[in-house]
Amino acid sequence: MCLLWGPVAALAGEPDRAVVVADTLNVRRHPKASAEVLWTLSRGDVARVERRAGSWALVRVDRGRGYIAVSERLAVLYTEKAPRTEKKKGSKAAPVSEKKAKTSLVGIREAVRTEERKLLAVRKEERAVIRELDRFNASLAQARKKERELNRKLSAVEAKVGEALKAKARVEADIRTGRKHLMARLAAYHKLNQIGEMNTFAASGSFHDMVVKKKALARIMGSDAVLLTRYTVLLREREAAESRLAAERSALAAAATAHGKVLADVEARYRKRAAMLKEVREKEVLSLAAIAEMKQAERVLEAKVRELARTRKALAAKNRFVRYKGLLKYPVTGKIIKTFGRHKDPRMNVTTFENGISIRTQRGEPVRAVTSGEVLFADWLQGYGNLIIVNHGESWYTLYAHTDEMFKKKGDRVDTREVIATVGDSSLSGYPDLHFEIRHHGKPLNPGPWFKK
């Protein structure tokens, strides 16, 4: 059994834990930044969440209760997987009683060190991703600056094109007016040709009057021709300018489109790296929570072993447990699904150490003491569910974990094959599995050779 791999399996559901991911985090009296600071938590600390208050959470730790700010850079909430059943694989954290306590705790401490090494690797990966994101940020800033410049130029060209179109419209209106006047002149000239110049001039009162009329007519015709020529040239110039501006607008639009594709590619890669950073930070949260939970289990079991050591000398053993090696009957009828020793957990990709055996059976199946002794512990224990520990004297103990109804309490005597509990389903598997261990001086031993073949 490994005590504490399960509780960080998912960051889903109603969160009941908060793990600190900042270096330090203030715990405040009220859920606001100006409230009094009660104390501070450190990176990796885990607190039980009692309720949410917007972006704050009311948490409880050993020192008391207070509010912490919740965000992905301060503290992240997560949900323990089956809070009272999550630690089927927890015996790796089992401490050693009496003088060999340090030796028996090597397993869980090594597991903590392994998880801490994984955490260092995750943080190194996080720093690499952050550096890459910084480079992408710089690229994005340059690309967006260029995009703004192209858009400004394109807007300026669009404005020039608009002005050119307005000027062209004015010239075309002037040409239409001039053409109308010119057509009137041509009509007059046509009539003049029909009447004849001489008849027209003859109608003059004097020769001087005739000469004046002729000169005036010549000036009018010349002026109309010059005006028409000027409008025609101006119209051609406006059309040429419009054409140039349209070409410039087209080129700028093409450049903006091409740059837009570059910008979209940079943004897509940035989003990909940002998603990677989020995933890395989720791994960091999981590792921090796993480390904190394993250390908590270590403290719980160390305290329990100290208690066992204090009471061991007061217990009188009436028989020697060692005599029953190879003669014991199994505590429950069923199929052995986990044996003593190392096992690879494919889900968590970690190697755990089973300190006993797990027997799958039916829920409610009677659990029997393998031999006589005195109940040393009968209560819920994190990672073991409802646990009964029977002392057989001379520092020999048997453990019956994940039971349902317990018929014995601390201090009760039990006889060989006496029913002490029923099988429950509090293991992480979700099935009715009884976890059984044999320990001597707190050190777990392989139960296999102790049972009668």
Side-chain angles (χ1 to χ4, degrees), residues 207-230:
F207 179 75
H208 176 74
D209 190 22
M210 180 187 71
V211 171
V212 170
K213 285 183 178 180
K214 185 174 181 180
K215 288 182 178 180
L217 183 61
R219 283 198 300 273
I220 290 171
M221 292 179 65
S223 176
D224 287 344
V226 170
L227 184 62
L228 183 60
T229 300
R230 185 170 66 83

mmCIF file of all heavy atoms in Angstrom, residues 207-230:
data_model
loop_
_atom_site.group_PDB
_atom_site.id
_atom_site.type_symbol
_atom_site.label_atom_id
_atom_site.label_comp_id
_atom_site.label_asym_id
_atom_site.label_seq_id
_atom_site.Cartn_x
_atom_site.Cartn_y
_atom_site.Cartn_z
ATOM 1 N N PHE A 207 -18.537 99.259 -89.487
ATOM 2 C CA PHE A 207 -17.400 98.375 -89.730
ATOM 3 C C PHE A 207 -16.668 98.100 -88.422
ATOM 4 O O PHE A 207 -16.253 96.975 -88.150
ATOM 5 C CB PHE A 207 -16.461 99.021 -90.752
ATOM 6 C CG PHE A 207 -15.243 98.187 -91.040
ATOM 7 C CD1 PHE A 207 -15.330 97.053 -91.827
ATOM 8 C CD2 PHE A 207 -14.020 98.507 -90.454
ATOM 9 C CE1 PHE A 207 -14.220 96.291 -92.059
ATOM 10 C CE2 PHE A 207 -12.920 97.734 -90.688
ATOM 11 C CZ PHE A 207 -13.005 96.610 -91.513
ATOM 12 N N HIS A 208 -16.548 99.121 -87.603
ATOM 13 C CA HIS A 208 -15.888 98.955 -86.309
ATOM 14 C C HIS A 208 -16.640 97.957 -85.446
ATOM 15 O O HIS A 208 -16.038 97.081 -84.805
ATOM 16 C CB HIS A 208 -15.794 100.309 -85.591
ATOM 17 C CG HIS A 208 -15.210 100.199 -84.216
ATOM 18 N ND1 HIS A 208 -13.877 99.980 -83.980
ATOM 19 C CD2 HIS A 208 -15.808 100.258 -82.985
ATOM 20 C CE1 HIS A 208 -13.665 99.920 -82.704
ATOM 21 N NE2 HIS A 208 -14.862 100.104 -82.053
ATOM 22 N N ASP A 209 -17.955 98.097 -85.472
ATOM 23 C CA ASP A 209 -18.773 97.158 -84.704
ATOM 24 C C ASP A 209 -18.583 95.747 -85.217
ATOM 25 O O ASP A 209 -18.512 94.778 -84.441
ATOM 26 C CB ASP A 209 -20.240 97.588 -84.795
ATOM 27 C CG ASP A 209 -21.110 96.808 -83.841
ATOM 28 O OD1 ASP A 209 -20.561 96.270 -82.838
ATOM 29 O OD2 ASP A 209 -22.326 96.713 -84.062
ATOM 30 N N MET A 210 -18.482 95.561 -86.508
ATOM 31 C CA MET A 210 -18.271 94.234 -87.098
ATOM 32 C C MET A 210 -16.925 93.654 -86.654
ATOM 33 O O MET A 210 -16.827 92.459 -86.304
ATOM 34 C CB MET A 210 -18.342 94.345 -88.624
ATOM 35 C CG MET A 210 -18.135 93.003 -89.328
ATOM 36 S SD MET A 210 -18.037 93.213 -91.109
ATOM 37 C CE MET A 210 -16.450 94.017 -91.260
ATOM 38 N N VAL A 211 -15.869 94.497 -86.664
ATOM 39 C CA VAL A 211 -14.536 94.013 -86.280
ATOM 40 C C VAL A 211 -14.530 93.595 -84.803
ATOM 41 O O VAL A 211 -13.977 92.561 -84.424
ATOM 42 C CB VAL A 211 -13.476 95.110 -86.520
ATOM 43 C CG1 VAL A 211 -12.135 94.709 -85.914
ATOM 44 C CG2 VAL A 211 -13.333 95.373 -88.003
ATOM 45 N N VAL A 212 -15.216 94.391 -83.971
ATOM 46 C CA VAL A 212 -15.280 94.066 -82.546
ATOM 47 C C VAL A 212 -15.970 92.730 -82.330
ATOM 48 O O VAL A 212 -15.540 91.880 -81.535
ATOM 49 C CB VAL A 212 -15.995 95.195 -81.780
ATOM 50 C CG1 VAL A 212 -16.279 94.764 -80.337
ATOM 51 C CG2 VAL A 212 -15.158 96.464 -81.789
ATOM 52 N N LYS A 213 -17.091 92.502 -83.023
ATOM 53 C CA LYS A 213 -17.834 91.241 -82.893
ATOM 54 C C LYS A 213 -16.978 90.061 -83.321
ATOM 55 O O LYS A 213 -16.982 88.990 -82.701
ATOM 56 C CB LYS A 213 -19.104 91.288 -83.726
ATOM 57 C CG LYS A 213 -20.189 92.136 -83.128
ATOM 58 C CD LYS A 213 -21.455 92.063 -83.993
ATOM 59 C CE LYS A 213 -22.599 92.886 -83.361
ATOM 60 N NZ LYS A 213 -23.816 92.807 -84.187
ATOM 61 N N LYS A 214 -16.255 90.229 -84.396
ATOM 62 C CA LYS A 214 -15.440 89.118 -84.897
ATOM 63 C C LYS A 214 -14.338 88.760 -83.901
ATOM 64 O O LYS A 214 -14.070 87.580 -83.625
ATOM 65 C CB LYS A 214 -14.843 89.488 -86.248
ATOM 66 C CG LYS A 214 -14.083 88.334 -86.884
ATOM 67 C CD LYS A 214 -13.625 88.698 -88.275
ATOM 68 C CE LYS A 214 -12.892 87.509 -88.908
ATOM 69 N NZ LYS A 214 -12.429 87.845 -90.281
ATOM 70 N N LYS A 215 -13.680 89.802 -83.362
ATOM 71 C CA LYS A 215 -12.623 89.538 -82.388
ATOM 72 C C LYS A 215 -13.187 88.876 -81.132
ATOM 73 O O LYS A 215 -12.583 87.962 -80.560
ATOM 74 C CB LYS A 215 -11.913 90.835 -82.022
ATOM 75 C CG LYS A 215 -11.032 91.374 -83.135
ATOM 76 C CD LYS A 215 -10.320 92.638 -82.668
ATOM 77 C CE LYS A 215 -9.372 93.178 -83.770
ATOM 78 N NZ LYS A 215 -8.682 94.394 -83.330
ATOM 79 N N ALA A 216 -14.358 89.354 -80.695
ATOM 80 C CA ALA A 216 -14.974 88.772 -79.490
ATOM 81 C C ALA A 216 -15.321 87.313 -79.716
ATOM 82 O O ALA A 216 -15.110 86.446 -78.841
ATOM 83 C CB ALA A 216 -16.233 89.576 -79.109
ATOM 84 N N LEU A 217 -15.869 86.992 -80.878
ATOM 85 C CA LEU A 217 -16.210 85.618 -81.196
ATOM 86 C C LEU A 217 -14.973 84.731 -81.215
ATOM 87 O O LEU A 217 -14.982 83.599 -80.703
ATOM 88 C CB LEU A 217 -16.943 85.577 -82.549
ATOM 89 C CG LEU A 217 -17.449 84.207 -83.000
ATOM 90 C CD1 LEU A 217 -18.461 83.670 -81.987
ATOM 91 C CD2 LEU A 217 -18.091 84.299 -84.383
ATOM 92 N N ALA A 218 -13.881 85.269 -81.767
ATOM 93 C CA ALA A 218 -12.639 84.472 -81.812
ATOM 94 C C ALA A 218 -12.107 84.210 -80.404
ATOM 95 O O ALA A 218 -11.633 83.113 -80.073
ATOM 96 C CB ALA A 218 -11.601 85.216 -82.652
ATOM 97 N N ARG A 219 -12.204 85.257 -79.532
ATOM 98 C CA ARG A 219 -11.729 85.075 -78.156
ATOM 99 C C ARG A 219 -12.573 84.032 -77.406
ATOM 100 O O ARG A 219 -12.055 83.205 -76.657
ATOM 101 C CB ARG A 219 -11.781 86.420 -77.421
ATOM 102 C CG ARG A 219 -10.641 87.363 -77.793
ATOM 103 C CD ARG A 219 -10.493 88.450 -76.746
ATOM 104 N NE ARG A 219 -11.710 89.247 -76.624
ATOM 105 C CZ ARG A 219 -11.991 90.332 -77.369
ATOM 106 N NH1 ARG A 219 -11.127 90.732 -78.294
ATOM 107 N NH2 ARG A 219 -13.110 91.005 -77.178
ATOM 108 N N ILE A 220 -13.887 84.085 -77.612
ATOM 109 C CA ILE A 220 -14.776 83.128 -76.942
ATOM 110 C C ILE A 220 -14.453 81.709 -77.389
ATOM 111 O O ILE A 220 -14.339 80.794 -76.558
ATOM 112 C CB ILE A 220 -16.238 83.474 -77.221
ATOM 113 C CG1 ILE A 220 -16.619 84.771 -76.499
ATOM 114 C CG2 ILE A 220 -17.168 82.347 -76.770
ATOM 115 C CD1 ILE A 220 -17.972 85.306 -76.888
ATOM 116 N N MET A 221 -14.294 81.519 -78.682
ATOM 117 C CA MET A 221 -13.992 80.176 -79.194
ATOM 118 C C MET A 221 -12.642 79.698 -78.680
ATOM 119 O O MET A 221 -12.483 78.526 -78.285
ATOM 120 C CB MET A 221 -14.000 80.193 -80.724
ATOM 121 C CG MET A 221 -15.398 80.422 -81.321
ATOM 122 S SD MET A 221 -15.363 80.463 -83.128
ATOM 123 C CE MET A 221 -14.860 78.810 -83.487
ATOM 124 N N GLY A 222 -11.649 80.577 -78.665
ATOM 125 C CA GLY A 222 -10.334 80.186 -78.149
ATOM 126 C C GLY A 222 -10.382 79.842 -76.667
ATOM 127 O O GLY A 222 -9.768 78.871 -76.212
ATOM 128 N N SER A 223 -11.127 80.655 -75.905
ATOM 129 C CA SER A 223 -11.249 80.409 -74.468
ATOM 130 C C SER A 223 -11.923 79.069 -74.198
ATOM 131 O O SER A 223 -11.501 78.306 -73.322
ATOM 132 C CB SER A 223 -12.039 81.544 -73.816
ATOM 133 O OG SER A 223 -12.251 81.281 -72.446
ATOM 134 N N ASP A 224 -13.005 78.798 -74.951
ATOM 135 C CA ASP A 224 -13.693 77.519 -74.769
ATOM 136 C C ASP A 224 -12.774 76.347 -75.100
ATOM 137 O O ASP A 224 -12.772 75.315 -74.406
ATOM 138 C CB ASP A 224 -14.939 77.472 -75.657
ATOM 139 C CG ASP A 224 -16.054 78.368 -75.114
ATOM 140 O OD1 ASP A 224 -15.967 78.751 -73.933
ATOM 141 O OD2 ASP A 224 -17.003 78.663 -75.872
ATOM 142 N N ALA A 225 -11.976 76.471 -76.135
ATOM 143 C CA ALA A 225 -11.070 75.382 -76.523
ATOM 144 C C ALA A 225 -10.005 75.163 -75.447
ATOM 145 O O ALA A 225 -9.684 74.018 -75.077
ATOM 146 C CB ALA A 225 -10.405 75.716 -77.867
ATOM 147 N N VAL A 226 -9.453 76.277 -74.915
ATOM 148 C CA VAL A 226 -8.435 76.156 -73.862
ATOM 149 C C VAL A 226 -9.034 75.510 -72.610
ATOM 150 O O VAL A 226 -8.437 74.625 -71.983
ATOM 151 C CB VAL A 226 -7.857 77.544 -73.525
ATOM 152 C CG1 VAL A 226 -6.991 77.471 -72.267
ATOM 153 C CG2 VAL A 226 -7.036 78.069 -74.687
ATOM 154 N N LEU A 227 -10.263 75.965 -72.239
ATOM 155 C CA LEU A 227 -10.908 75.412 -71.046
ATOM 156 C C LEU A 227 -11.167 73.922 -71.199
ATOM 157 O O LEU A 227 -10.904 73.116 -70.278
ATOM 158 C CB LEU A 227 -12.222 76.153 -70.793
ATOM 159 C CG LEU A 227 -12.987 75.757 -69.525
ATOM 160 C CD1 LEU A 227 -12.139 76.048 -68.285
ATOM 161 C CD2 LEU A 227 -14.326 76.502 -69.440
ATOM 162 N N LEU A 228 -11.651 73.528 -72.375
ATOM 163 C CA LEU A 228 -11.925 72.106 -72.604
ATOM 164 C C LEU A 228 -10.637 71.286 -72.566
ATOM 165 O O LEU A 228 -10.579 70.202 -71.977
ATOM 166 C CB LEU A 228 -12.645 71.932 -73.941
ATOM 167 C CG LEU A 228 -13.050 70.496 -74.281
ATOM 168 C CD1 LEU A 228 -13.984 69.948 -73.218
ATOM 169 C CD2 LEU A 228 -13.707 70.423 -75.648
ATOM 170 N N THR A 229 -9.575 71.837 -73.149
ATOM 171 C CA THR A 229 -8.280 71.123 -73.147
ATOM 172 C C THR A 229 -7.750 70.973 -71.722
ATOM 173 O O THR A 229 -7.265 69.911 -71.305
ATOM 174 C CB THR A 229 -7.258 71.882 -74.015
ATOM 175 O OG1 THR A 229 -7.757 71.961 -75.341
ATOM 176 C CG2 THR A 229 -5.913 71.164 -74.013
ATOM 177 N N ARG A 230 -7.883 72.073 -70.914
ATOM 178 C CA ARG A 230 -7.396 72.021 -69.528
ATOM 179 C C ARG A 230 -8.156 70.993 -68.701
ATOM 180 O O ARG A 230 -7.569 70.224 -67.937
ATOM 181 C CB ARG A 230 -7.543 73.410 -68.896
ATOM 182 C CG ARG A 230 -6.954 73.481 -67.472
ATOM 183 C CD ARG A 230 -6.897 74.922 -67.003
ATOM 184 N NE ARG A 230 -8.234 75.477 -66.841
ATOM 185 C CZ ARG A 230 -8.986 75.305 -65.747
ATOM 186 N NH1 ARG A 230 -8.522 74.564 -64.746
ATOM 187 N NH2 ARG A 230 -10.168 75.868 -65.646
#
